[in-house]
Amino acid sequence: MEKRYYQPEIETMPVAELQKLQSEKLVKQVRHVYDNVPYYRQKMDEKGVKPEDIKGIEDLHKLPTITKGDLRETYPYGMLAVPLEDCVRIQSTSGTTGKRVIAYYTQKDVELWEDCCARALVAVGATKKDVCQVAYGYGLFTGGPGLNGGSHKVGCLTLPMSSGNTERQIQFIQDLQATILCCTPSYAAYIGETMKEMGIKPEDNTLKAGIFGAEPWTEEMRRDIEKSLGIKAYDIYGLTETSGPGVSFECEAQTGMHICEDHFLAEIIDPDTEEVLPLGSVGELVFTSLDKEAFPLLRYRTRDICRLTREPCPCGRTHVKMCKPMGRSDDMLIIRGVNVFPSQIETVLINEGYSPNYQIIVDRVSNNDTIDVNVELSPEQFHDTIKEIAKLEKNLEAALRTMLGIGPKVHLVAPKTIARSEGKAKRVIDNRKLH
Ligand code: DLL
C-alpha cells in the first residue's frame, strides 16, 4: 500500500513515545487551564484535584468532565483561557438545541486545526496537483473554513464553493476538473443524484476521492456515494468545541478514523457513571485538547457513542482509531423502551434497495410511542401500482422490525418529496418533545 502522510514523524510515532508526549502536554495544559479558567478551576477544587496531581495521562480520570451545559453556562467568554486580544477567530455551532457554543482560536490554534485537516486530505491521496472543491458551508460552521485551510496547506487548488447551488457545484467539478470533493455525505449523495439526472456518468467526472463528515452515515451510504460519483469516499470527524473537522479522519484502509492523538486525547466512558471503559468498549467519547491555547477543553463529553481500537493499521499510522459514531447519547431514540439509532434504519433502507432519502417521525398517541418512516421511491419504483407499493411497504416494515425489534409504519412517498440537504440532514422529527 502506498504510504501518504502530511506529518510523518507524528502520524507514525511509536505508541509509547506518543503517550509520553501526551503526558508532557497534559501536565502543561492542566496548569494552563487551572491558572486561566476560573470556572474549571472551581470544578477541580470541588473535586479536590490540584494541577500537581496530574503527572501524566494515567491521571486523566481524576479531572472533572465538562458538558455542553457547562459551555452554555459560561457563554460567551467563560471558558476562554487567553486574553481576547490574542484570539484571531471564532467559529460556532448552529445552536439548534439551545444557546450557541462559541469556540475561540489563537493563530496557533488555527494552524493546528488546519494541520489536522491537511493530514486528512493527504491520507486520501491529495497533493499539490489536486483540485479540492470545498462544498461544506463557510461561515460560523467549521466545515468550510477547516477543509479550506487544510487544502491550502497541502497546496491543492482550492475551490471555496460553500454548500448549495448544486448545478453550479457540478459545473465547477466539470470545468475545473475537481479531483477531491469535501461536503456532508447527504450533500454528496444529492450531488450524485443531480449528476445522474443531468446525464453525467460517474466515469465522466474527474473526482477521485471525497471527504465526507459532520453527520452520521452508514457503510451502505458510503457504497452508494462511491458508486454514484465514481470515487472513494472517506469519513472525517470533528466538533466545534475541539476545533472542527480533522479531530479524526480515515486513511486508505477505510476501517475507522485515526484520532490526531498528539493534539486530542480520547477516552471512552460509561455515559451514566462516567467510569472510564477499557479499549474496545462502546461508550461516550470524551476529548481533552492537549495543545489548544484559547479554548482548551479538558475531558469534554461529546455525547457521541463510539468505540476505539489500537489494532495495527496497514497505513502505518499509530494513532488510535475510532469507529463511525453509532449515534449520540442524546439523539438515540427510545421508542417503547427500545433504543433505536437512525443509522440502523438507514442500513435497512439501502440494503433493501431504497435511496438514503428518508425521514423518521416519532410521536406519542394515547401514551404509546409511534414511529413512522417516510421513504422516497426512485422514479423507476414509482411506476408500480398502489397494490404493489403496499406490498413493498409491508416488506420494508418486516425488514425494519427484524433490525430494530419494534415495528415502524412505513410510507413510501413520491420521488423528490423529501427535502434534500446541502449541509447536515435532518433525519428525525420527534414530536414527543413538544408535549
Ligand atoms: O460537524 C465538524 C465537522 C465539519 C466534522 C465537517 C466533519 C466535517 P459540529 O457542527 O460542532 O462540528 O458538530 C459536531 O457532529 O459531535 C458528531 O455528533 C457529529 N459528527 C461530526 N462528524 C461526524 C462523522 C462538525 N464523521 C457533531 N460521523 C459531533 C458522525 C459526526 N457524526
Side-chain angles (χ1 to χ4, degrees):
M1 217 180 259
E2 185 203 347
K3 303 280 182 247
R4 22 188 214 203
Y5 314 112
Y6 179 65
Q7 292 170 310
E9 312 78 55
I10 296 169
E11 293 178 62
T12 62
M13 187 178 267
V15 175
E17 223 175 289
L18 186 62
Q19 290 180 335
K20 191 164 163 272
L21 180 70
Q22 288 178 322
S23 284
E24 287 162 12
K25 287 185 175 186
L26 179 67
V27 170
K28 281 197 199 136
Q29 187 70 305
V30 172
R31 173 52 72 188
H32 171 54
V33 174
Y34 190 82
D35 289 348
N36 296 296
V37 184
Y39 183 86
Y40 197 75
R41 185 189 316 142
Q42 191 187 334
K43 281 199 138 217
M44 280 177 67
D45 289 344
E46 279 165 11
K47 227 180 161 209
V49 199
K50 294 274 165 235
E52 47 279 17
D53 297 332
I54 310 300
K55 299 194 174 65
I57 53 173
E58 64 284 1
D59 296 321
L60 184 64
H61 68 278
K62 296 179 183 162
L63 291 168
T65 58
I66 358 179
T67 62
K68 210 168 205 138
D70 292 307
L71 302 186
R72 289 198 185 120
E73 210 168 295
T74 53
Y75 176 92
Y77 297 124
M79 285 287 183
L80 194 58
V82 297
L84 197 55
E85 64 192 43
D86 291 347
C87 297
V88 297
R89 170 93 73 85
I90 66 149
Q91 302 287 162
S92 174
T93 58
S94 58
T96 43
T97 54
K99 234 187 235 169
R100 283 175 177 278
V101 169
I102 298 184
Y104 299 83
Y105 304 72
T106 63
Q107 185 57 38
K108 193 175 148 224
D109 294 335
V110 173
E111 298 285 338
L112 169 169
W113 171 30
E114 292 180 350
D115 280 343
C116 293
C117 290
R119 287 183 200 173
L121 279 157
V122 172
V124 310
T127 69
K128 68 190 292 291
K129 293 196 183 130
D130 280 292
V131 178
C132 178
Q133 180 149 337
V134 184
Y136 284 111
Y138 279 64
L140 289 171
F141 177 55
T142 55
L147 269 309
N148 190 87
S151 173
H152 275 243
K153 288 217 170 204
V154 177
C156 304
L157 176 65
T158 309
L159 314 185
M161 303 295 294
S162 198
S163 59
N165 203 335
T166 308
E167 295 202 353
R168 190 181 62 187
Q169 301 276 2
I170 294 169
Q171 191 191 338
F172 270 76
I173 291 173
Q174 297 296 84
D175 295 350
L176 294 188
Q177 310 209 323
T179 50
I180 296 175
L181 176 65
C182 307
C183 61
T184 57
S186 50
Y187 195 39
Y190 182 32
I191 292 176
E193 182 186 356
T194 311
M195 272 194 183
K196 189 173 170 201
E197 282 166 10
M198 290 166 74
I200 303 168
K201 294 202 195 78
E203 59 274 20
D204 292 342
N205 73 63
T206 45
L207 291 173
K208 60 180 189 189
I211 302 193
F212 307 130
E215 64 182 359
W217 55 309
T218 55
E219 285 301 328
E220 290 73 17
M221 187 148 167
R222 187 208 302 267
R223 284 200 294 277
D224 241 37
I225 294 172
E226 289 191 331
K227 209 162 110 209
S228 75
L229 290 173
I231 59 169
K232 281 258 176 221
Y234 297 90
D235 205 351
I236 185 167
Y237 169 91
L239 56 161
T240 315
E241 292 88 331
T242 56
S243 58
V247 168
S248 68
F249 59 85
E250 267 186 338
C251 60
E252 64 265 30
Q254 291 181 304
T255 51
M257 296 176 270
H258 290 282
I259 295 174
C260 291
E261 272 196 285
D262 53 323
H263 298 310
F264 306 105
L265 189 50
E267 297 169 275
I268 294 286
I269 64 164
D270 178 321
D272 298 324
T273 62
E274 294 204 340
E275 182 200 344
V276 180
L277 301 177
L279 203 64
S281 319
V282 174
E284 183 178 333
L285 191 54
V286 175
F287 280 113
T288 294
S289 49
L290 293 170
D291 288 296
K292 296 249 332 259
E293 297 176 327
F295 201 62
L297 301 187
L298 302 181
R299 302 200 78 207
Y300 181 66
R301 292 186 57 168
T302 62
R303 300 282 168 203
D304 292 319
I305 302 295
C306 205
R307 184 193 290 124
L308 302 179
T309 163
R310 260 202 206 282
E311 266 168 46
C313 186
C315 79
R317 284 177 187 77
T318 48
H319 293 203
V320 74
K321 279 201 286 196
M322 59 181 265
C323 69
K324 274 181 178 297
M326 298 163 188
R328 292 176 58 81
S329 60
D330 52 357
D331 270 6
M332 184 182 73
L333 295 163
I334 303 181
I335 296 163
R336 286 173 240 144
V338 178
N339 298 350
V340 173
F341 286 107
S343 61
Q344 294 173 296
I345 293 176
E346 185 177 299
T347 297
V348 173
L349 296 186
I350 298 182
N351 280 343
E352 297 289 316
Y354 293 92
S355 70
N357 298 311
Y358 63 96
Q359 202 149 42
I360 303 162
I361 297 142
V362 185
D363 211 336
R364 182 160 290 164
V365 182
S366 322
N367 289 326
N368 209 350
D369 292 337
T370 60
I371 171 164
D372 290 67
V373 186
N374 293 338
V375 185
E376 215 177 82
L377 288 163
S378 65
E380 301 82 48
Q381 291 164 322
F382 192 56
H383 292 300
D384 293 332
T385 63
I386 291 180
K387 203 170 142 205
E388 273 170 40
I389 288 179
K391 200 168 133 211
L392 291 175
E393 285 177 339
K394 283 264 157 315
N395 289 346
L396 193 49
E397 281 171 1
L400 285 166
R401 195 174 312 115
T402 307
M403 167 68 105
L404 306 175
I406 54 159
K409 183 111 195 65
V410 168
H411 310 272
L412 293 174
V413 299
K416 294 263 169 188
T417 46
I418 292 178
R420 297 296 185 272
S421 155
E422 294 164 353
K424 299 192 191 220
K426 180 145 180 60
R427 304 286 196 200
V428 181
I429 301 172
D430 192 343
N431 292 322
R432 294 176 302 179
K433 287 180 190 149
L434 305 174
H435 294 169

